[in-house]
């Protein structure tokens, strides 16, 4: 008898605390192990770590990690924060192959996300209702199976 793997998602709300990104990465590892997606852990953890670090360094409020699997073997890692400003590496007109100069001290993290993920995107949340505004940066990765 064939079984259907249902879609699933988790959201971890994080305070503005320097320990929060590490806690989120540990939670991500547990989620992936529980759903038998351990082979995606290195990529997903790198993506989550960079997105979380970006939120922690460049925003003043809380943030959240969201992990979802819309299809078997596929994963979306997303980070929400309160700042609606889209980072330059995620803007639509950015050169996807451009790399920051080697002598710069920052700016490589989101380029790493672009290089490791199958697809990336951003949603700017303008409504201040339940979403509290801000933005959601996301990256998709998987076992090489098309969506």
């Amino acid at each position: 008898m064939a079984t259907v793997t249902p879609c699933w998602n988790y959201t971890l709300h994080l305070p503005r605390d320097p320990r929060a990104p590490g806690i989120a990465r540990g939670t991500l590892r547990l989620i992936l192990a529980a759903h038998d997606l351990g082979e995606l852990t290195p990529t997903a953890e790198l993506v989550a770590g960079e997105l979380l670090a970006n939120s922690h360094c460049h925003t003043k409020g809380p943030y959240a990690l969201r992990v979802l699997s819309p299809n078997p073997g596929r994963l979306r890692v997303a980070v929400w924060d309160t700042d609606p400003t889209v980072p330059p590496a995620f803007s639509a007109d950015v050169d996807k192959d451009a790399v920051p100069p080697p002598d710069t001290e920052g700016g490589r993290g989101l380029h790493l996300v672009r290089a490791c993920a199958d697809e990336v995107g951003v949603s700017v949340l303008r409504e201040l209702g339940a979403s509290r505004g801000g933005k959601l940066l996301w990256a998709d990765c998987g076992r090489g199976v098309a969506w």
Side-chain angles (χ1 to χ4, degrees), residues 12 14 19-34 41 44-46 48-49 52 65 67:
L12 177 63
L14 299 156
R19 296 168 289 207
I23 291 167
R25 287 190 308 273
T27 302
L28 175 64
R29 285 190 297 271
L30 290 172
I31 292 168
L32 295 178
T41 299
E45 193 172 1
L46 182 141
L52 289 160
L65 172 67
V67 184

Side-chain angles (χ1 to χ4, degrees), residues 40 69-76 118-119 140-147:
L40 296 179
S69 179
N71 294 309
R74 301 296 302 168
L75 186 68
R76 176 169 284 181
D118 298 331
E119 188 175 354
D140 292 339
C141 55
R143 293 179 172 151
V145 181
W147 279 94

Side-chain angles (χ1 to χ4, degrees), residues 16-98:
R16 177 141 178 73
D17 182 304
R19 296 168 289 207
I23 291 167
R25 287 190 308 273
T27 302
L28 175 64
R29 285 190 297 271
L30 290 172
I31 292 168
L32 295 178
H35 287 281
D36 198 28
L37 291 170
E39 71 273 13
L40 296 179
T41 299
T43 301
E45 193 172 1
L46 182 141
V47 167
E50 293 300 337
L51 295 178
L52 289 160
N54 188 68
S55 288
H56 185 78
C57 291
H58 300 289
T59 65
K60 294 182 175 28
Y63 41 95
L65 172 67
R66 181 146 191 220
V67 184
L68 58 119
S69 179
N71 294 309
R74 301 296 302 168
L75 186 68
R76 176 169 284 181
V77 176
V79 172
W80 166 84
D81 64 47
T82 56
D83 184 354
T85 307
V86 176
F90 268 70
S91 62
D93 57 345
V94 70
D95 178 2
K96 294 176 183 169
D97 297 322

